[in-house]
């Protein structure tokens, strides 16, 4: 059997690493020549891509499609046009896609139309917010996938409610948390940025189009963070989408703006912080496992398990609510948090177990 394992954007790299390693560790599994890493090139800057491969010990991609940035239609189309010849050249039995970025849906669609089976890792997450490009990507990818690997039981329920056949769904845990388990000791040993002490700073990330593409919305959120910075310094690694939008906004001197960080330094920063303010998806999960309070500045989340049993609170984008919740934490209050089932560092192993048990497909490429 031959597998193409696809990643395209920053949050994908932590999700493919454990799957690649689980394949490599199988004595009777496929050889490395039969598990090919595909990088679509959706993210391409050194600190959004290459540094992650280095930090995560993932080998250089076998195939780099180098598609770069563009509108959603341009980027998705370019990935599809570049991925199709790769499929025709390598004839995979399975294409494995992860997460919810444009690369995920583009490669799933391309494969399925060629008659290649698709496995989706992190299936079944739903924000119910169709204004999020990621929600559209999740729905489309899940609708056509042959195997759906879920991170939690709520995602299993979502898929069952949508009528997905029981035998396609496998609750395996969270490969991003596999990576965290492998790397946390190393990350904690890295020095913190100058002048920061453990437990005495907050971390901020902001990159959702709904938050950063509107100058008014961004100014309101930064206004709230300015108020929080009166009490605690805030480290803000700024995503390239957000950088140009910050120019017109007044920023508190205790908000430290830094370049996007690669995986290990960022994990080390979060793990020793007092709290995290974010609009990211994956950081909601990482803070839950680390037991760090997380305020998610969005009206909804596709990861409700992190609020139900973890340390995450959805605070929306009302500045007063953001400041109130942050003060509550800084006053010493805590919510007891637990770690979701199967977030135990072994999801990659479970995924490979399922894949290696799949029968060969009788028909070949439909092209
Ligand atoms: C994408 C994903 C989002 C994910 C995020 C993580 C989609 C629809 N969105 O959003 O789900 O949470 O990645 O970062 O797939 N840029 C660079 N260097 C890069 C990549 C991007 O400078 O390596 C800049 C470009 O100006 C680009 C902008 O960032 O236009 C946005 O990048 P893009 O990949 O379109 O979307 P993200 O906001 O990163």
């Amino acid at each position: 059997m031959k597998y193409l394992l696809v990643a395209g954007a920053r949050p994908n790299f932590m999700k493919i690493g454990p799957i690649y390693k689980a394949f490599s560790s199988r004595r009777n599994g496929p050889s490395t020549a039969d598990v090919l890493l595909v990088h679509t090139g959706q993210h391409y800057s050194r600190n959004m891509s290459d540094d992650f491969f280095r930090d995560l010990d993932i080998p250089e991609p076998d195939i780099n499609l180098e598609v770069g940035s563009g509108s959603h239609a341009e980027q998705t189309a370019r990935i599809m046009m570049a991925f199709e010849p790769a499929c025709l050249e390598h004839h995979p039995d399975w294409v494995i896609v992860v997460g919810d970025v444009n690369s995920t849906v583009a490669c799933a669609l391309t494969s399925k139309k060629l008659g290649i089976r698709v496995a989706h890792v992190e299936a079944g997450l739903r924000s119910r917010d169709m204004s999020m490009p990621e929600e559209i990507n999740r729905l489309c990818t899940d609708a056509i996938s042959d195997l759906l690997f879920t991170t939690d039981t709520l995602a299993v329920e979502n898929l069952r409610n949508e009528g997905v056949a029981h035998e396609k769904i496998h609750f395996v845990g969270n490969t991003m948390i596999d990576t965290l388990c492998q790397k946390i000791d190393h990350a904690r040993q890295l020095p913190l940025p100058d002048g920061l002490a453990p437990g005495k700073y907050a971390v901020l990330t902001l990159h959702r189009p709904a938050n950063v593409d509107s100058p008014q919305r961004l100014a309101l959120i930064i206004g709230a963070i300015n108020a929080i910075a009166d009490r605690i310094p805030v480290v803000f690694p700024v995503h390239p989408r957000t950088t140009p939008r910050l120019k017109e906004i007044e920023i508190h001197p205790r908000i430290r703006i830094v370049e996007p960080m690669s995986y290990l330094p960022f994990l080390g920063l979060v793990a020793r912080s007092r709290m995290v303010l974010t609009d990211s998806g994956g950081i909601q999960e990482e803070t839950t496992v680390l037991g760090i309070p997380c305020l998610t500045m969005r009206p909804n989340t596709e990861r409700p398990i992190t609020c139900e049993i973890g340390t995450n609170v959805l605070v929306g984008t009302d500045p007063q609510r953001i400041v109130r919740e942050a003060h509550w934490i800084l006053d010493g209050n805590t919510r007891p948090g637990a770690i979701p089932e199967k977030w135990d560092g072994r999801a990659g192993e479970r995924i490979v177990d399922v894949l290696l048990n799949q029968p060969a497909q009788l028909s070949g490429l439909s092209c």
Side-chain angles (χ1 to χ4, degrees):
M1 292 271 230
K2 194 160 195 176
Y3 305 85
L4 294 189
L5 181 52
V6 178
R10 186 169 64 170
N12 290 164
F13 307 132
M14 305 72 117
K15 295 170 192 168
I16 60 158
I19 304 170
Y20 187 80
K21 284 176 195 154
F23 269 128
S24 310
S25 68
R26 298 301 163 101
R27 211 176 287 162
N28 299 322
S31 72
T32 47
D34 289 329
V35 181
L36 299 184
L37 281 180
V38 181
H39 190 335
T40 65
Q42 177 174 344
H43 283 176
Y44 46 84
S45 301
R46 182 188 47 74
N47 55 8
M48 301 287 285
S49 174
D50 299 13
D51 291 351
F52 282 75
F53 278 73
R54 183 204 59 214
D55 279 5
L56 300 172
D57 322 310
I58 309 171
E60 290 277 304
D62 299 286
I63 301 163
N64 196 329
L65 306 179
E66 296 180 346
V67 299
S69 301
S71 70
H72 284 275
E74 282 167 347
Q75 190 174 60
T76 309
R78 281 210 297 266
I79 298 167
M80 292 181 73
M81 288 166 70
F83 189 55
E84 187 175 56
C87 289
L88 294 173
E89 180 183 344
H90 295 283
H91 287 267
D93 295 277
W94 284 94
V95 168
I96 305 161
V97 296
V98 299
D100 55 17
V101 300
N102 286 343
S103 302
T104 312
V105 69
C107 293
L109 264 175
T110 307
S111 315
K112 199 65 194 160
K113 290 197 168 181
L114 289 171
I116 302 166
R117 287 173 292 177
V118 176
H120 183 206
V121 174
E122 201 186 85
L125 297 184
R126 297 288 181 267
S127 66
R128 317 279 172 213
D129 178 354
M130 291 297 277
S131 70
M132 278 183 86
E134 294 83 358
E135 183 72 355
I136 300 166
N137 294 344
R138 291 180 202 114
L139 283 162
C140 294
T141 306
D142 286 345
I144 57 171
S145 289
D146 300 273
L147 281 175
L148 297 101
F149 293 112
T150 69
T151 50
D152 64 53
T153 49
L154 302 177
V156 174
E157 256 174 60
N158 289 336
L159 293 172
R160 293 220 177 120
N161 290 340
E162 288 169 20
V164 176
H166 173 79
E167 58 276 12
K168 288 185 176 179
I169 306 171
H170 297 266
F171 168 34
V172 291
N174 191 327
T175 60
M176 202 184 64
I177 301 305
D178 292 7
T179 295
L180 184 150
C181 295
Q182 287 161 17
K183 297 293 180 186
I184 186 65
D185 291 344
H186 185 172
R188 281 186 197 280
Q189 283 160 16
L190 296 177
L192 287 172
D194 280 350
L196 295 180
K200 302 230 179 319
Y201 61 89
V203 176
L204 168 68
T205 80
L206 275 175
H207 77 284
R208 291 271 153 229
N211 283 344
V212 305
D213 288 359
S214 146
Q216 295 80 4
R217 170 76 62 84
L218 185 60
L220 283 175
I221 294 174
I222 295 293
I225 308 297
N226 284 340
I228 295 165
D230 278 337
R231 284 188 69 177
I232 191 166
V234 179
V235 187
F236 183 13
V238 183
H239 187 283
R241 174 185 281 281
T242 314
T243 307
R245 276 100 172 163
L246 287 176
K247 290 206 176 91
E248 310 294 314
I249 297 176
E250 193 184 325
I251 297 176
H252 195 293
R254 293 222 295 174
I255 300 179
R256 193 183 296 192
I257 294 199
V258 296
E259 291 282 305
M261 296 167 88
S262 64
Y263 182 74
L264 285 172
F266 185 71
L267 179 62
L269 184 75
V270 167
R272 289 169 284 178
S273 68
R274 183 76 188 80
M275 68 176 163
V276 173
L277 298 117
T278 191
D279 60 6
S280 152
I283 294 172
Q284 298 171 50
E285 298 181 339
E286 290 168 330
T287 47
T288 273
V289 171
L290 294 166
I292 301 287
C294 179
L295 301 181
T296 297
M297 296 177 291
R298 287 173 42 190
N300 51 53
T301 177
E302 62 289 339
R303 292 162 161 93
I305 196 110
T306 60
C307 299
E308 282 188 17
I309 70 167
T311 57
N312 187 24
V313 180
L314 271 188
V315 292
T317 51
D318 168 21
Q320 288 181 348
R321 171 99 201 269
I322 297 170
V323 174
R324 196 169 60 241
E325 291 286 347
H327 282 320
W328 190 81
I329 294 165
L330 294 174
D331 288 341
N333 299 297
T334 52
R335 287 179 182 82
I339 297 178
E341 192 186 345
K342 294 193 189 179
W343 290 19
D344 57 0
R346 299 193 45 239
E349 294 286 340
R350 295 189 190 100
I351 288 168
V352 168
D353 283 343
V354 174
L355 283 166
L356 294 181
N357 274 322
Q358 298 303 308
Q361 197 175 24
L362 294 177
S363 55
L365 290 183
S366 63
C367 52

